[in-house]
């Protein structure tokens, strides 16, 4: 938006369908807007500023390709980590999830306050493993079932 204001949850309800998902989408956009991928930073920043709608961003071929590429890097890094790294990541993810839950509760009770910085996903040695040096928090990795499409 031209005045420097960030979109709010209500403006994301068309895509998110409910307040909880809108809050999660806003948080994800904030994270992507400061992340390492320039295409995702561009997309998230555009949505947050109101330069483009979430619908436009999620249907743009370049932005969706960047999203899927990032997800694929996370999946591969998860598959390459050791059991010890997976356990450590799960513990860090639990702590990170507790911090997000606490933040969610605070936001529900005082929605008019300035947005707080989103807790950063945990980091660890598994982030450097595999191609691309990207990983993801807990629960992702070799122990995951291949799903209906099998392993890639």
């Amino acid at each position: 938006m031209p005045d420097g204001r960030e979109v709010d949850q209500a403006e994301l309800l068309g895509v998110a369908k409910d307040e909880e998902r809108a809050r999660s989408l806003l948080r994800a956009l904030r994270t992507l807007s400061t992340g390492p991928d320039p295409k995702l930073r561009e997309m998230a920043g555009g949505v947050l500023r109101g330069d483009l709608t979430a619908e436009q961003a999620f249907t743009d071929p370049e932005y969706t390709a960047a999203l899927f590429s990032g997800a694929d890097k996370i999946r591969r890094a998860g598959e390459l980590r050791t059991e010890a790294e997976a356990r450590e990541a799960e513990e860090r993810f639990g702590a990170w999830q507790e911090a997000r839950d606490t933040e969610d509760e605070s936001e529900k009770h005082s929605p008019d306050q300035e947005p707080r910085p989103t807790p950063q996903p945990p980091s660890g040695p598994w982030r450097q493993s595999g191609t691309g040096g990207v990983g993801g928090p807990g629960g992702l990795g070799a122990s995951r079932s291949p799903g209906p499409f099998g392993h890639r």
Side-chain angles (χ1 to χ4, degrees), residues 4-9 23 26-27 30-31 48 103-104 106-108 110-119:
R5 186 181 72 81
E6 182 180 89
V7 296
D8 62 18
Q9 287 176 213
R23 182 179 6 271
L26 183 58
R27 192 176 280 145
R30 287 176 182 153
T31 300
L48 289 171
E103 181 180 315
D104 282 348
S106 297
E107 287 177 1
K108 286 179 187 176
S110 56
D112 296 336
Q113 291 182 349
E114 287 282 316
R116 289 182 203 83
T118 303

Side-chain angles (χ1 to χ4, degrees), residues 112-151:
D112 296 336
Q113 291 182 349
E114 287 282 316
R116 289 182 203 83
T118 303
Q120 294 301 308
S123 62
W126 51 271
R127 283 198 170 269
Q128 282 75 40
S129 66
T131 307
V134 177
L140 301 176
S143 62
R144 190 171 114 193
S145 72
F149 302 109
H151 287 292

Side-chain angles (χ1 to χ4, degrees), residues 3-19:
D3 62 4
R5 186 181 72 81
E6 182 180 89
V7 296
D8 62 18
Q9 287 176 213
E11 294 169 280
L12 298 173
L13 282 173
V15 160
K17 307 295 184 214
D18 64 47
E19 287 186 25

Side-chain angles (χ1 to χ4, degrees), residues 17-39:
K17 307 295 184 214
D18 64 47
E19 287 186 25
E20 197 65 35
R21 289 180 181 153
R23 182 179 6 271
S24 181
L25 176 57
L26 183 58
R27 192 176 280 145
L29 288 167
R30 287 176 182 153
T31 300
L32 289 172
S33 73
T34 60
D37 187 297
K39 189 52 82 175

